[in-house]
Amino acid sequence: MSKSIICYINQFFAGVGGEEKAGIEPYIVEGTLGPTMAIDKAMAKADAHVTYTVVCGDNFMGSNTDEAVARIIDMIKDKPMDAFVAGPAFQAGRYTVACGAICKAVQEHFHVPAVTSFNVETPGVDMYKKDVIIFKGGNSAAKMRKDVPAMCKYLCKVLNGEPTLGADAEGYFARGMRKEVFLENKHENTAAFRGVDMLRKKIKGEPYQTELIIPEKDVVPIADPIADLSKANIALVTTGGIVPVDNPDRIQSASATRWGRYDISGLDALPNRAANGYKTIHAGYDPAAADADPNVCVPLDAMRAYEKEGKIGKLHPYFYSTVGTGTTEGEAARMAAEIIPFLKEDGVDGIIVGST
């Protein structure tokens, strides 16, 4: 008997629309839709087919996660399902979180395998890699042809009852789980032999892999508190994409590699888009509120009030802006390193980072 796969995609890949449709509530359609056609084809080796596709807007899932998950679970509870596939979600921040959340819930409720695929730079990886099989995916939909086969090859093995390999061999993110296996060379089954073998390779400068990988963490020391705010120089930074209406620095709406520095001396508040002032170019949230009042992301109005009341010493005469959605850690670190000299030059004591 043919096996049944249920898939999950967002509003964009369902062809409903982009950011303007990100608030769409969950619904289900029979059969394939958009990228699930590729999943259906790739699952043929396990005699499995996509029987239903669930769609939900990224904003709705992000803002109403419990409700969205509960409604989707209710939609599929009476449907035949041997496995569940979400995405692939590439480097889309909210989409990866949504895929992780629904995969985790499906596994817990129905005890069927669930897989998805994210780029390493997305928040969904750290949030869900211990709970869900997440394959290491590309950074854009152009990588679909590689990401879908990787997920489905593994899932076919599972549905066919074939043995699977470890995270590195299969291509998914390690989950911190260890499984005991017996090696063909009986000597290698002893820890002493393997330990000496690794030591010999290390001494000779040969590549080797420890069996207990300790993940490296980029830990940033917590800064000392500001002793007296009434004398402090405070700066404003945002990842909410607030820019002059003409976006002079051409900051990208996602996966940003650029940032801007904008003069706020003499302003008590940021004028909005209608006043030919500032707007948001961020593609990761509904821009209406920020376009109407950019001070919700860059709280210049509140900080000016504090400055006049003497709660802070002064406000740095510029604010700095970029876009956080899809931006890699490497690019974020580079941009921060470029911004910091300006702050140091003016003797900034503290920074308020406004987001979305």
Side-chain angles (χ1 to χ4, degrees):
M1 181 181 293
S2 179
K3 303 177 185 70
S4 174
I5 309 294
I6 295 181
C7 292
Y8 173 90
I9 55 177
N10 69 359
Q11 82 287 347
F12 178 81
F13 286 101
V16 177
E19 192 59 37
E20 77 282 1
K21 296 293 185 179
I24 193 168
E25 299 183 15
Y27 66 91
I28 189 169
V29 297
E30 189 170 354
T32 60
L33 183 64
T36 67
M37 290 186 285
I39 294 171
D40 181 74
K41 183 178 180 180
M43 291 303 301
K45 291 181 179 179
D47 190 23
H49 298 280
V50 175
T51 51
Y52 293 92
T53 302
V54 176
V55 179
C56 185
D58 284 336
N59 279 353
F60 188 86
M61 176 64 85
S63 301
N64 311 274
T65 305
D66 291 344
E67 178 188 349
V69 168
R71 288 170 63 173
I72 292 170
I73 293 299
D74 189 61
M75 287 176 186
I76 63 178
K77 66 182 181 182
D78 296 324
K79 305 286 191 297
M81 178 171 55
D82 295 286
F84 188 87
V85 180
F90 311 109
Q91 201 172 335
R94 291 169 303 160
Y95 192 19
T96 63
V97 174
C99 288
I102 193 61
C103 281
K104 183 174 185 290
V106 165
Q107 287 181 157
E108 292 174 347
H109 281 80
F110 304 110
H111 307 290
V112 298
V115 300
T116 185
S117 174
F118 306 160
N119 184 261
V120 66
E121 295 286 355
T122 58
V125 173
D126 283 337
M127 291 174 67
Y128 291 105
K129 68 181 180 182
K130 291 186 178 180
D131 303 302
V132 177
I133 296 289
I134 303 173
F135 279 82
K136 299 175 182 178
N139 59 2
S140 72
K143 308 296 184 182
M144 182 84 72
R145 291 183 178 179
K146 291 185 177 180
D147 292 353
V148 167
M151 290 192 299
C152 294
K153 180 180 179 182
Y154 171 84
L155 198 55
C156 282
K157 287 183 180 181
V158 174
L159 294 182
N160 287 332
E162 300 171 9
T164 60
L165 306 174
D168 288 341
E170 296 289 356
Y172 59 84
F173 291 98
R175 298 188 294 163
M177 301 172 65
R178 303 182 71 191
K179 181 180 179 181
E180 186 179 73
V181 296
F182 291 96
L183 305 174
E184 291 183 7
N185 184 338
K186 64 180 182 179
H187 297 296
E188 293 181 353
N189 287 315
T190 65
F193 181 93
R194 298 195 308 276
V196 171
D197 185 54
M198 283 191 286
L199 180 59
R200 289 176 60 251
K201 289 179 178 178
K202 182 175 183 179
I203 292 172
K204 295 170 67 176
E206 297 176 353
Y208 68 94
Q209 177 63 62
T210 177
E211 295 176 6
L212 182 59
I213 301 172
I214 307 298
E216 294 183 10
K217 292 186 177 181
D218 184 12
V219 179
V220 178
I222 298 174
D224 294 331
I226 296 174
D228 187 351
L229 276 174
S230 67
K231 298 178 181 178
N233 182 3
I234 305 298
L236 295 174
V237 177
T238 184
T239 58
I242 303 299
V243 298
V245 290
D246 59 347
N247 188 15
D249 296 292
R250 298 294 180 263
I251 300 173
Q252 302 96 326
S253 59
S255 302
T257 60
R258 302 189 185 106
W259 57 275
R261 179 177 186 251
Y262 307 112
D263 191 349
I264 53 175
S265 57
L267 291 177
D268 286 333
L270 290 182
N272 65 13
R273 181 172 188 163
N276 200 34
Y278 292 82
K279 67 176 183 179
T280 181
I281 44 86
H282 198 294
Y285 66 97
D286 188 332
D291 283 349
D293 182 9
N295 297 277
V296 298
C297 287
V298 181
L300 176 59
D301 51 356
M303 295 306 294
R304 284 292 185 223
Y306 282 167
E307 188 179 37
K308 292 174 182 178
E309 295 169 9
K311 292 182 178 179
I312 63 170
K314 71 170 185 176
L315 196 60
H316 180 63
Y318 297 88
F319 81 88
Y320 303 80
S321 181
T322 188
V323 166
T325 186
T327 299
T328 67
E329 290 184 16
E331 290 293 345
R334 176 190 57 78
M335 289 189 280
E338 293 172 355
I339 292 170
I340 287 171
F342 291 100
L343 304 176
K344 286 186 174 180
E345 183 180 2
D346 191 44
V348 167
D349 300 296
I351 302 167
I352 294 175
V353 180
S355 185
T356 56

